[in-house]
Amino acid sequence: MILVIIPIFVALAAASWFLISSKALKAIFGTIFTLAMIASIGLLSANMDSHYGMKKETTVATKQVYSAAPAQMPIGMAAAKKIGTDDYVLVYKDQATDKEASAHFAPDTSDIVKTVKQSATYRKADVQTAQVKTTTTKWVYKNDTYKWLFKQNKEDNLVKEVHTLEVPANWQVVLK
């Protein structure tokens, strides 16, 4: 909405300075609309540069996953292929009934910006079942007024998304 408000203030300021014949009214309305235009541009700049009107919000979600090994194997297993410095493509089953394991968190070459913001890793943890813990950090608006003022179509406020495969101590993680 701020992108609609700014041109309105520009038009009102120009109309005030150029179309009003009374010098007193010209000065009053011209100054008010010029200051409103400058303030609106300042707010837009602050939002784009420093996320004015927003705050970082982190959410954590966990999802149980299943061994990539066949069901008759006595131990659980996952596979990991290192890509980059500390990033992995992880292979496991999403459901216990899945016949084959599938790869997760492979980079999406069609959306590099989203790919850069996501990472995946694994660790052995004190858990009973394997799970993927997803920690998502996003910029969210502090209230509805800021959302109304600054929200743009298709904006992506994702800061980072970290997926961690937590496996029990008795599981094996095979590195490729």
Side-chain angles (χ1 to χ4, degrees):
M1 184 51 88
I2 193 84
L3 295 176
V4 173
I5 292 171
I6 291 171
I8 290 171
F9 283 140
V10 169
L12 289 172
S16 298
W17 289 117
F18 298 119
L19 300 178
I20 296 176
S21 57
S22 168
K23 287 187 178 187
L25 290 177
K26 179 187 291 196
I28 292 170
F29 287 111
T31 302
I32 289 171
F33 291 130
T34 301
L35 290 175
M37 175 190 65
I38 292 169
S40 299
I41 292 170
L43 286 173
L44 177 61
S45 298
N47 176 261
M48 294 180 78
D49 179 60
S50 305
H51 298 283
Y52 176 76
M54 302 178 94
K55 62 183 176 184
K56 278 186 183 178
E57 186 176 272
T58 301
T59 58
V60 178
T62 57
K63 176 187 170 196
Q64 183 175 356
V65 296
Y66 301 90
S67 174
Q72 57 270 27
M73 298 251 332
I75 61 169
M77 183 189 86
K81 179 169 175 103
K82 190 171 189 172
I83 53 172
T85 309
D86 291 322
D87 204 10
Y88 293 87
V89 173
L90 302 168
V91 179
Y92 55 83
K93 291 180 185 174
D94 290 312
Q95 303 292 325
T97 56
D98 289 350
K99 294 194 185 261
E100 291 189 22
S102 57
H104 298 80
F105 317 117
D108 181 3
T109 56
S110 66
D111 192 354
I112 298 299
V113 173
K114 184 178 177 184
T115 299
V116 169
K117 294 178 181 181
Q118 293 181 340
S119 65
T121 189
Y122 70 93
R123 69 181 178 99
K124 291 199 175 193
D126 187 21
V127 293
Q128 297 299 315
T129 59
Q131 62 187 16
V132 173
K133 182 197 250 180
T134 302
T135 306
T136 305
T137 304
K138 288 184 174 187
W139 285 106
V140 295
Y141 293 99
K142 290 180 181 177
N143 59 43
D144 287 338
T145 303
Y146 289 124
K147 185 175 183 177
W148 175 81
L149 198 57
F150 297 119
K151 183 158 176 56
Q152 301 299 313
N153 291 339
K154 299 181 184 177
E155 70 182 3
D156 177 24
N157 293 326
L158 180 67
V159 176
K160 68 179 176 177
E161 190 171 60
V162 178
H163 306 280
T164 305
L165 174 62
E166 296 178 337
V167 296
N170 64 345
W171 271 47
Q172 294 296 317
V173 179
V174 179
L175 293 174
K176 291 183 177 182

